[in-house]
Amino acid sequence: MDFKQFTTTLVSGCLLFSFTSLLSQNESIYTNAFEYYSKQEFQEALRLFEECISQDSLNTFCMEKAGLSAYQLGDIPKAKALFFNLEKLDSTNRIAIAQLSTIYDQEKNIPKAIKYYTKLKKLIPQNPVYHRKLAQQYHNAGLHVEAFPHYLEALKLNPRDVFTINGIAEIFLSNKQYIEADSMLREGLKLDSLNINFNLLMAQSQYRQKAYDSTVHYLERIRYEIDLSPYYNKLFGYSYIQIDSFERSIPLLEKSLVDEGSKEYAHYYLATAYEKLENPEYALFHYQKALEEGISGNIDLYHRGLAKLYNEKKQLGDAIDHYIDAYKYGKDPVVLFYLARASDIYYKDKNIAVNYYKKYIKSNDSNADYKKYAKERKLHLQEQLHLGM
């Protein structure tokens, strides 16, 4: 063998040795990285998978595992960058698209989440979870029309998906389609009779339909399973009032007082309950509190309740003040009748009562007995005034 042949053979051998050595080294990195990943030692796994990528920038497997490791470590920026690169290499890579969907879902970045769940749904159309996840994104954005068909497809593919059933029921409730909502929720309750959300939604539906006994039924089923929110305590307590269970309503309504948004109505319902239980002092207190919290259009009711209680306590001056405010805020003509009656008794100057009787007689109230009484009493008082009595 001459020198030239010897040199060529030597170089070829060295190159082969180097390539074999590199393959062995890569295999070792990959094996160690995967072992760390299997043990959930994600920091070491990420370091080695990134080393694998640096040596082979087209290695999609190492890129998947590096992205998943970064995600497990909470390094979301790095996870995103890795999954973006993976998506560039393979636009149909399920791992990349699924992880980006999840990340944007968790970040509540609804437009991006919709984008990637749409890709995922098209990629694997037979998977009901992706249809439901896409529906939930539209639902969270308040786009119920867009969400609904995706929920329906998810339900078709998996009729036992309680999250899909819940979403569809919520849309029906928001559209005031109570029959459809109840039907959907009953199907859900067949699958899971103590499902918290199903019972809460059913109670809400029954309450809106003024089926107060049913409202109580569904809330009683779960009242010891969770701490009801102030909203549901208020709803629960008011439903008990409507079925004449006043004592049971009180602790529930008192719990709802912790919510600023519920205080006004809770005080009003508590006043109503205490009034029915013939406890005028507590009723007065809560009517007054309702009035202090009042921001709704129900202020006339609070004044009316206070007027009625003061009237019963023979504190007619206070009663008259609240009747005047009740009429000012509510314009209910029957309040004029009560105002006339209280003024008739309280004031020595009967002209005041006569004027209120006149206003009531001219009103559109349809109570024939009240109208008859008002006309007769007005004439009687006018006669007294004419005679100087």
Side-chain angles (χ1 to χ4, degrees):
M1 178 184 299
D2 59 23
F3 181 75
K4 184 177 180 180
Q5 288 176 322
F6 174 76
T7 304
T8 302
T9 303
L10 182 61
V11 170
S12 299
C14 288
L15 288 171
L16 179 62
F17 175 78
S18 298
F19 182 68
T20 304
S21 176
L22 182 61
L23 285 175
S24 176
Q25 185 181 2
N26 283 349
E27 187 177 339
S28 175
I29 291 171
Y30 168 78
T31 302
N32 290 337
F34 194 75
E35 186 176 344
Y36 280 124
Y37 186 86
S38 300
K39 292 178 181 178
Q40 298 188 352
E41 297 181 29
F42 296 114
Q43 277 188 311
E44 281 302 304
L46 176 59
R47 182 181 65 78
L48 291 174
F49 280 126
E50 285 187 310
E51 189 175 335
C52 172
I53 295 166
S54 70
Q55 295 182 10
D56 180 3
S57 62
L58 300 179
N59 190 322
T60 57
F61 185 81
C62 284
M63 205 170 290
E64 285 179 6
K65 288 293 185 276
L68 290 168
S69 298
Y71 177 79
Q72 292 294 334
L73 290 167
D75 190 344
I76 303 305
K78 180 171 282 188
K80 277 185 187 177
L82 287 161
F83 291 130
F84 283 143
N85 287 337
L86 186 56
E87 186 187 14
K88 286 179 184 177
L89 291 173
D90 177 7
S91 63
T92 63
N93 187 286
R94 179 176 175 176
I95 297 295
I97 296 169
Q99 287 302 120
L100 287 168
S101 300
T102 300
I103 288 169
Y104 285 124
D105 190 350
Q106 291 170 340
E107 290 180 345
K108 300 190 187 305
N109 187 333
I110 292 175
K112 290 287 183 69
I114 287 174
K115 173 186 173 181
Y116 281 99
Y117 278 127
T118 300
K119 283 187 175 185
L120 207 53
K121 182 206 70 167
K122 289 179 179 177
L123 190 63
I124 312 163
Q126 71 277 15
N127 189 324
V129 174
Y130 301 147
H131 289 278
R132 185 239 297 160
K133 289 281 190 180
L134 182 56
Q136 288 173 327
Q137 294 304 315
Y138 282 119
H139 194 158
N140 292 338
L143 302 171
H144 295 172
V145 173
E146 289 80 358
F148 196 71
H150 298 296
Y151 273 135
L152 289 182
E153 186 63 26
L155 190 65
K156 179 182 174 182
L157 291 167
N158 180 15
R160 295 182 60 84
D161 184 347
V162 297
F163 300 112
T164 295
I165 292 170
N166 192 87
I168 293 173
E170 284 183 351
I171 289 177
F172 279 139
L173 269 178
S174 69
N175 291 337
K176 299 182 180 179
Q177 295 174 263
Y178 300 123
I179 294 173
E180 292 84 352
D182 292 351
S183 176
M184 184 59 59
L185 289 168
R186 286 191 189 98
E187 290 301 313
L189 288 167
K190 286 179 186 176
L191 297 172
D192 184 2
S193 63
L194 293 179
N195 182 286
I196 301 297
N197 282 337
F198 290 161
N199 280 284
L200 288 176
L201 288 173
M202 185 64 95
Q204 190 181 144
S205 177
Q206 297 303 298
Y207 180 81
R208 291 185 189 179
Q209 296 174 72
K210 299 184 179 180
Y212 300 112
D213 52 346
S214 294
T215 304
V216 166
H217 167 73
Y218 287 107
L219 289 175
E220 279 290 359
R221 294 172 74 175
I222 56 168
R223 71 178 299 183
Y224 300 113
E225 302 295 322
I226 59 165
D227 289 328
L228 291 172
S229 69
Y231 167 79
Y232 279 105
N233 276 316
K234 180 188 68 175
L235 182 149
F236 202 178
Y238 181 73
S239 296
Y240 264 129
I241 286 176
Q242 295 302 307
I243 60 173
D244 297 334
S245 293
F246 305 111
E247 289 183 356
R248 291 185 177 185
S249 74
I250 288 171
L252 294 164
L253 292 169
E254 286 177 341
K255 285 182 180 179
S256 73
L257 290 172
V258 299
D259 179 29
E260 291 297 325
S262 294
K263 276 188 176 182
E264 176 188 344
Y265 293 104
H267 279 301
Y268 174 57
Y269 299 151
L270 279 164
T272 303
Y274 280 119
E275 190 176 352
K276 294 290 186 181
L277 290 170
E278 298 182 358
N279 189 331
E281 296 305 319
Y282 275 65
L284 278 169
F285 171 80
H286 286 289
Y287 274 129
Q288 192 62 52
K289 283 293 184 182
L291 195 57
E292 290 172 12
E293 298 286 342
I295 57 173
S296 72
N298 296 320
I299 291 176
D300 63 309
L301 297 178
Y302 314 148
H303 281 296
R304 193 162 168 171
L306 285 164
K308 179 175 179 291
L309 288 170
Y310 281 126
N311 191 40
E312 290 171 355
K313 289 165 67 73
K314 309 300 182 186
Q315 294 176 231
L316 293 179
D318 292 324
I320 287 168
D321 288 340
H322 286 291
Y323 278 135
I324 290 170
D325 284 333
Y327 183 70
K328 180 174 74 174
Y329 288 107
K331 300 299 181 186
D332 184 351
V334 78
V335 174
L336 289 171
F337 177 77
Y338 301 143
L339 185 51
R341 285 282 297 123
S343 299
D344 194 349
I345 299 168
Y346 184 69
Y347 293 114
K348 291 181 179 178
D349 181 359
K350 300 305 177 183
N351 281 301
I352 298 172
V354 167
N355 287 332
Y356 284 128
Y357 280 128
K358 284 179 179 179
K359 286 183 179 180
Y360 173 67
I361 293 165
K362 290 178 182 179
S363 76
N364 60 358
D365 187 46
S366 59
N367 190 313
D369 290 335
Y370 283 5
K371 282 287 178 79
K372 181 182 177 182
Y373 178 91
K375 288 174 183 177
E376 291 176 353
R377 186 62 183 165
K378 178 183 74 79
L379 289 172
H380 178 71
L381 291 177
Q382 285 176 325
E383 288 176 5
Q384 285 186 319
L385 288 166
H386 181 69
L387 295 172
M389 295 175 65

